[in-house]
Amino acid sequence: MRFATRYMVENWWFELLLPRLGLTALGARGRTRRWQRMSRNFYGLATELGGLMIKVGQFLSSRLDVLPPEVTRELEGLQDSVRPEDFAEIRALAERELGMPLERAYASFDATPLAAASLGQAHRARLAPQAANDTGFTDLVVKIQRPGIDRIVDIDLAALRQVARRLNRVKLVSRRVDLPALAEEFARTSLEEVDYLHEAGSAERFARQFEDDARVRVPGIAWERTTRRVLTLQDVSAIKINDLAALREAGIDPSEVAAEFANVMFDQLFVDGFFHGDAHPGNIFVTPVSNDLAQGAPDGLRDTTIGSDDGRPWVLTFVDFGMMGEIPDSLRRNLQRFLIAVASRDGRRLVASMRELGVLLPSADTRELERTMSALFARFGGVAFTALQEVDPRELRAFADEFGETIRVLPFQLPENFLLVIRAVSLISGLCSTLDPEFNIWNAVEPYAEGLLRDERGGVIGSFAREAASTVAIAARLPRRLDDLAGRLENGEIAVETPRLDRQIGQLERAVGRMVSAVLFFGLLIGGVLLRPTDPPTGGLLMAASALPLLHAVLAGMIGGRRRR
């Protein structure tokens, strides 16, 4: 909580307050070093405290699409290099859960952990021949929870709830999201994740969902060696999905992996409604299959028991099903409409779908938002997220100037049951950008949305028929609406709106309110005090400059008072 408070205040000062005071350049100074320092300190904090802090870092490390490389590089290690527990403690917990020594439960058990994660760690093992005949596999990965992880998670969640309650008192935050409810949603998924019986059940449900899909593989579960704190499953280790060198060595094109991974995740989110909510690179493998193109795969990473129906030389293997999401039918249908609107670059339809999803604030100006979204699609609709860095800054500033009011207000809120959906979409975008810097989420959505549109409307003919019926209905209502419009004009009831002029006047009024001399005085004074220890010349200059707005405030008050008299 101290860490969060410190960096929230720091970012509020440099990224929000200084730009409002007209000191954007000062706020930008040293931004890269600040991000690196914050990321490095967070990495140390997460590895020291463990628990849910590591999960936060894993999520951030995968957001290559929106976070600077200085952040993602510092946090990459949290994906699969967490400090392991002492094996004696792990052995004691496992034997207590299984009710027998490890030597009796398994034919062999490797004391060196294969991987250590936030909530537990994994060890390789083998089943005895008789048990292997029952399960259908011999090689195992045994996940064992960290001793005392229940208490650590409870403490993390208690701190999270407290932070959520405090932030919810801020009107800007509470207008957009019910943070206490969001914290409870996160708590629910986190508590499910520390129950390995729940994870095993989710893995089997996920396997049934893809049992007829040759693109996806899921490990089997050894139920007789599984408890709430010990999970025994088939060893499906292969090429880590973001290991670009190993993929190319196996003859696998990372850009093809990116496209297929996006399609598989889209199926989960928009069709099946049951999806993997923790699809970071540590939880997904690319498994080369038994054919000529996979012969370049490193030894031990080829799988001769599976194959792809369409001749693809690899499959996607998902592991770690502790954090799964489920989307109700109504929400899934609204998400499908949202996806279709994005693919068709239709600003009006997009805003309508956002309202149905509950993403828009009740006070949102939908007409202005439609105009903004249409302009956004027209200019940036075909641009990959990673390519936005190459867009001319003057063009971005021009867009921000024209649509500054909508961008400033951001009339959005986070509805309930949306946390894991946003996390999943974020991971898709970040991981695909890692695999293919040219990956364009817009282009990936288009063919997928076209298929949804055909399914939803019964084909292209049905789509045209509905559009024609809608046009006829509009034409039938047109004479009455024109007559009503003429009557209102005669009565002087029509008011001409000038949204852009009104918006600019409103901006001017707010700018005047923000830039009053008293605020500027305190801002410069506090900035000087904060910067003086690390940058004495700049700090002293700011403190000296604070006298000017103070003098202006005093003189303006005196002159204004005389004029009123």
Side-chain angles (χ1 to χ4, degrees):
M1 291 184 68
R2 287 196 302 269
F3 179 92
T5 302
R6 171 188 172 185
Y7 286 105
M8 284 174 62
V9 170
E10 180 178 302
N11 281 284
W12 171 81
W13 172 258
F14 284 104
E15 306 297 339
L16 293 178
L17 184 59
L18 290 185
R20 289 192 173 190
L21 296 176
L23 301 173
T24 304
L26 181 62
R29 181 186 300 175
R31 178 178 290 146
T32 299
R33 290 194 301 273
R34 289 200 304 272
W35 279 99
Q36 285 179 323
R37 184 179 68 252
M38 181 174 64
S39 304
R40 195 175 299 117
N41 291 343
F42 182 86
Y43 180 93
L45 184 70
T47 53
E48 177 186 352
L49 297 182
L52 301 180
M53 291 288 288
I54 292 176
K55 288 209 160 290
V56 174
Q58 290 172 340
F59 172 68
L60 295 175
S61 70
S62 66
R63 296 311 314 275
L64 187 65
D65 53 330
V66 294
L67 290 178
E70 294 81 13
V71 174
T72 57
R73 277 198 299 267
E74 294 290 346
L75 300 177
E76 277 178 353
L78 293 176
Q79 291 178 4
D80 52 11
S81 60
V82 183
R83 184 178 58 208
E85 295 285 342
D86 180 71
F87 180 67
E89 297 182 14
I90 290 291
R91 169 190 278 273
L93 187 149
E95 291 181 345
R96 187 166 60 251
E97 285 289 313
L98 296 172
M100 64 182 77
L102 290 181
E103 292 78 10
R104 182 178 160 195
Y106 306 99
S108 65
F109 192 96
D110 189 353
T112 302
L114 170 67
S118 56
L119 305 181
Q121 61 191 54
H123 294 258
R124 279 201 167 97
R126 291 177 64 86
L127 281 175
Q130 182 176 354
N133 290 334
D134 295 336
T135 61
F137 49 86
T138 301
D139 295 331
L140 306 171
V141 170
V142 183
K143 289 178 61 175
I144 305 171
Q145 280 188 11
R146 293 178 179 270
I149 192 63
D150 288 341
R151 179 173 176 272
I152 293 175
V153 169
D154 287 342
I155 293 173
D156 287 345
L157 292 177
L160 178 66
R161 291 183 176 108
Q162 186 172 348
V163 171
R165 286 194 298 269
R166 291 180 178 178
L167 285 176
N168 209 52
R169 297 171 186 165
V170 180
K171 187 176 181 180
L172 181 65
V173 174
S174 60
R175 283 177 54 209
R176 286 166 169 77
V177 60
D178 185 349
L179 273 182
L182 193 66
E184 292 306 318
E185 182 182 347
F186 182 74
R188 183 169 61 253
T189 58
S190 300
L191 292 175
E192 288 176 351
E193 198 170 1
V194 296
D195 183 353
Y196 283 168
L197 290 174
H198 183 274
E199 178 177 345
S202 296
E204 290 205 334
R205 178 180 174 183
F206 193 82
R208 289 193 300 270
Q209 183 170 297
F210 285 97
E211 61 183 351
D212 297 325
D213 192 329
R215 302 173 299 172
V216 175
R217 186 188 183 198
V218 180
I221 305 296
W223 281 99
E224 292 188 356
R225 296 291 183 268
T226 295
T227 71
R228 186 177 178 275
R229 290 184 172 87
V230 176
L231 174 60
T232 302
L233 62 160
Q234 181 183 8
D235 186 359
V236 292
S237 302
I239 303 173
K240 191 177 173 183
I241 192 170
N242 66 343
D243 190 343
L244 304 184
L247 289 174
R248 295 190 179 102
E249 184 183 350
I252 299 173
D253 185 353
S255 63
E256 293 182 3
V257 176
E260 200 60 71
F261 171 69
N263 287 333
V264 168
M265 292 300 296
F266 287 159
D267 279 343
Q268 297 173 47
L269 286 166
F270 302 115
V271 178
D272 302 313
F274 183 67
F275 65 95
H276 199 299
D278 199 21
H280 65 76
N283 288 337
I284 308 167
F285 297 109
V286 178
T287 305
V289 299
S290 180
N291 59 32
D292 293 339
L293 290 177
Q295 297 307 308
D299 293 341
L301 296 184
R302 286 191 298 271
D303 194 325
T304 60
T305 65
I306 58 176
S308 176
D309 292 343
D310 59 2
R312 188 184 302 105
W314 49 269
V315 296
L316 293 170
T317 301
F318 286 78
V319 299
D320 194 347
F321 301 92
M323 186 178 289
M324 304 295 291
E326 189 163 7
I327 304 175
D329 291 341
S330 59
L331 178 58
R332 189 165 72 252
R333 285 193 295 270
N334 288 334
L335 283 172
Q336 290 175 351
R337 296 187 186 103
F338 177 84
L339 190 69
I340 292 169
V342 170
S344 60
R345 314 288 203 270
D346 189 333
R348 181 184 59 79
R349 183 181 293 177
L350 179 66
V351 172
S353 66
M354 292 167 68
R355 184 174 292 283
E356 291 173 353
L357 283 170
V359 173
L360 288 184
L361 287 170
S363 59
D365 183 349
T366 55
R367 289 178 301 174
E368 184 64 18
L369 191 57
E370 287 173 9
R371 195 172 76 90
T372 303
M373 291 301 177
S374 297
L376 181 68
F377 282 140
R379 175 56 190 92
F380 304 110
V383 180
F385 286 121
T386 52
L388 288 175
Q389 300 174 5
E390 302 173 5
V391 176
D392 189 343
R394 291 172 297 182
E395 189 170 359
L396 293 175
R397 282 197 298 270
F399 184 89
D401 290 341
E402 183 173 0
F403 302 101
E405 177 67 9
T406 303
I407 295 172
R408 188 191 68 81
V409 173
L410 288 177
F412 309 117
Q413 61 184 352
L414 187 63
E416 194 175 354
N417 299 322
F418 227 64
L419 179 63
L420 277 185
V421 174
I422 292 176
R423 175 182 169 84
V425 172
S426 300
L427 289 171
I428 294 170
S429 178
L431 183 50
C432 288
S433 297
T434 302
L435 290 166
D436 180 10
E438 302 300 321
F439 177 82
N440 191 327
I441 192 71
W442 310 95
N443 294 339
V445 160
E446 281 183 358
Y448 192 86
E450 288 173 1
L452 288 176
L453 190 59
R454 285 194 297 269
D455 294 341
E456 184 182 75
R457 296 187 175 181
V460 176
I461 295 177
S463 175
F464 281 138
R466 285 173 173 79
E467 193 67 31
S470 176
T471 303
V472 169
I474 292 172
R477 293 193 303 267
L478 188 57
R480 179 176 297 178
R481 296 182 67 182
L482 287 173
D483 183 65
D484 179 64
L485 177 61
R488 294 176 66 188
L489 281 171
E490 290 176 356
N491 297 330
E493 297 176 1
I494 298 296
V496 178
E497 295 185 358
T498 55
R500 186 168 181 177
L501 181 59
D502 292 342
R503 186 171 62 254
Q504 290 176 343
I505 292 174
Q507 289 173 345
L508 181 60
E509 291 175 348
R510 284 186 292 273
V512 171
R514 288 196 304 264
M515 296 299 293
V516 292
S517 296
V519 174
L520 186 56
F521 163 67
F522 283 111
L524 290 172
L525 182 62
I526 295 172
V529 172
L530 290 175
L531 287 174
R532 191 180 179 102
T534 56
D535 192 350
T538 304
L541 180 62
L542 288 179
M543 294 176 68
S546 67
L548 294 176
L550 176 63
L551 182 62
H552 174 266
V554 174
L555 292 178
M558 294 172 60
I559 295 173
R562 289 174 182 171
R563 286 180 177 175
R564 284 192 297 271
R565 287 195 296 269

